[in-house]
Amino acid sequence: MQVTVTDKSYATYFVQVGSAAPVPAASGETVSYPISGGPYTVTVTGRYGQANLCEGTSTKPFTPLPAPIAPVLRRLTRPAEGTVQLEFEALQPEYRYQLQVATTQGDYRNLMAVTAASPLTLPAAPLPGCYRLLLQDQCQPPVFSLPSNSICSVQLTGAATNGRNQLSWTSAGNGTYTLTRTEGSTSVVLPLLAGATSYDDADVSCGTTYRYQVSLNSGPATSVSNEVGLTALSTTPPARPQLWAGFNLRNQVELRAEVPGVAAGGQLSYQRNGAPLAATPARRLLDSLIAPDPAVPLCYTVDFQDACGNRAPAGAGVCVVQLKAEAASSNAPEIRLTWSALTATGPDMAAPVSYRVLGLAADNTVVSSVAVGNNLTYLDLQPDPNRQTVRYRIEASGAGLPEPSYSNVAEVARPVKLVLPTAFTPNGDGLNDVLELKGRFLDNFRFTIIDRNGRTVFQTSDRTRSWDGRIKGAAPVPGAYAWQFEALDQQGQRVKQYGTVTILR
């Protein structure tokens, strides 16, 4: 406790701290006294030089300081060149603090008084450097002080060479290093040997920029180096690109290219039947076609040049499957499918190719699947009788492709058709007594019979109903009658048929 007696009225003064014995004191002098325990009061007594005169007394309470806690530095970062940012645990406001840096003589010198909360930024920091915080007593800085842990800066340097990025780092601190590489927004920790202060990163793609930082973990503290950005260089040609191609359900050809060891970047040159299609770094491409034709091959190739100008060996190629579907004849239900062969140039171009015929519903879900080996034709003998429009797709596997390739979707729209006899004999003999509605895809229709006077004598929208020739219950009247058939097919198209039917005795 520091006490200064400012009064000058008395000849002598005494200072008593707590329950300790009074100690003589001089006016105008600042003196430090030990605190031995409560009560936490300071009493100053003034006495005249002549005996038996009165004396003056003044007492003031005080709150002792909390026990000092050594400050703790947690993190050193370098947000900009020449700048250091320090993070530390909360400071005790009853004490004062100095930020210090180590000298070459093994001691520390003061940089600045620290009064602000964490973090603290030094825009022109001594680098390289080892830093600490020093807690000091407000009244007697030289008498009492308590240092923090030391945290040292890390300096990282790097250079891009042929096919690798070389990194090295230095620090006066001790601990464990962690090396982090960032590509875009993705960061990975690179493996380091114990005690290593350098690293060769060979897992890099030409033309890609990588950012590196080293962290030194030492006790409670972590020191993060400056950031080094390196753009990878190489004179080694990249690997040959691989290509997959096939139709999607919208009858667009999808192309997917892959360059081993180069996940992105560079320039891919796509060609269709030898003509340029697109030059792009994209690994996926769509090519829209209107009318696939199995008689005309549809072949794609791709070449690659990396960001350093190195060209890969001649690219892979794929000739996609093109499917054609048509009715075998105008009256037969069978559907004939023919398609072109799948071929590919790649790592296993001699791998055998097998095909599968897929039947599709209107929403493109697979409703049937038939393996046909290596055949390029198929006759569907029993198309779904309840679907006016039948849809097909070919699944091709093999040729060294990593997954099946698909043909275009081909469909056959079979017409709605009503089949009626030209005459019938409603005479009750059990033979040809009624007019029945027969045909295909008779789902949404209206059938009308009209007599010679233009009157409607029979009408139905139900294919199971037949006409026995009676008109309002009366016996059939022989003669010719006109009929009209109107329908809406499964594709929303209107269909009309006309004809006559004769009632015979």
Side-chain angles (χ1 to χ4, degrees), residues 17 20 26-27 31 33 47 53 73 86 146 184 215 246 300 307 349 383 418:
V17 178
S27 176
V31 180
Y33 300 89
R47 295 173 183 171
L53 294 181
L73 287 173
L86 296 168
L146 192 60
S215 299
Y300 295 88
M349 56 187 294
L418 176 67

Side-chain angles (χ1 to χ4, degrees), residues 243 316-319 342-346 348-350 398-401:
L243 181 66
V318 177
C319 295
L342 172 71
T343 61
T345 56
D348 192 14
M349 56 187 294
L401 296 183

Side-chain angles (χ1 to χ4, degrees), residues 140-351:
Q140 305 177 88
V143 175
F144 178 80
S145 61
L146 192 60
S148 73
N149 58 304
S150 178
I151 189 169
C152 299
S153 64
V154 180
Q155 180 67 34
L156 175 65
T157 59
T161 62
N162 185 24
R164 61 185 61 240
N165 290 337
Q166 295 179 331
L167 303 149
S168 61
W169 53 92
T170 57
S171 177
N174 296 312
T176 303
Y177 289 106
T178 302
L179 176 61
T180 303
R181 181 185 72 189
T182 302
E183 179 185 356
S185 59
T186 302
S187 297
V188 296
V189 175
L190 301 176
L192 291 179
L193 297 175
T197 57
S198 64
Y199 185 82
D200 277 6
D201 187 7
D203 185 19
V204 294
S205 297
C206 189
T208 301
T209 298
Y210 302 89
R211 306 191 309 276
Y212 298 89
Q213 277 189 306
V214 172
S215 299
L216 174 60
N217 300 299
S218 178
T222 299
S223 179
V224 182
S225 75
N226 55 305
E227 183 179 83
V228 171
L230 298 175
T231 300
L233 303 174
S234 179
T235 58
T236 304
R240 179 182 186 179
Q242 300 172 2
L243 181 66
W244 177 93
F247 283 90
N248 62 21
L249 290 169
R250 296 182 179 180
N251 281 354
Q252 301 167 311
V253 176
E254 290 187 1
L255 305 172
R256 296 202 300 267
E258 179 180 335
V259 182
V262 187
Q267 188 84 329
L268 290 159
S269 299
Y270 297 91
Q271 301 91 32
R272 184 207 306 133
N273 290 344
L277 180 62
T280 172
R283 268 51 176 174
R284 291 175 177 261
L285 187 69
L286 283 179
D287 184 21
S288 299
L289 296 175
I290 298 175
D293 183 359
V296 180
L298 183 59
C299 300
Y300 295 88
T301 56
V302 64
D303 295 310
F304 180 70
Q305 178 177 299
D306 67 21
C308 295
N310 303 306
R311 289 190 175 276
V318 177
C319 295
V320 296
V321 178
Q322 299 180 87
L323 172 64
K324 181 179 180 181
E326 56 187 349
S329 67
S330 59
N331 294 320
E334 295 88 355
I335 302 295
R336 185 178 301 281
L337 307 178
T338 57
W339 59 89
S340 61
L342 172 71
T343 61
T345 56
D348 192 14
M349 56 187 294

Side-chain angles (χ1 to χ4, degrees), residues 350-396:
V353 179
S354 60
Y355 302 96
R356 184 175 291 274
V357 177
L358 305 179
L360 305 180
D363 62 356
N364 290 322
T365 57
V366 177
V367 295
S368 64
S369 176
V370 180
V372 295
N374 59 2
N375 293 322
L376 299 179
T377 62
Y378 178 72
L379 183 63
D380 189 356
L381 299 175
Q382 294 181 324
D384 189 339
N386 298 315
R387 288 190 294 134
Q388 178 196 352
T389 301
V390 289
R391 297 160 58 84
Y392 300 92
R393 195 184 194 196
I394 302 299
E395 178 186 274

Side-chain angles (χ1 to χ4, degrees), residues 126-145:
L127 288 170
C130 294
Y131 301 87
R132 75 177 187 182
L133 283 175
L134 186 67
L135 175 150
Q136 295 179 314
D137 185 84
Q138 293 275 15
C139 299
Q140 305 177 88
V143 175
F144 178 80
S145 61

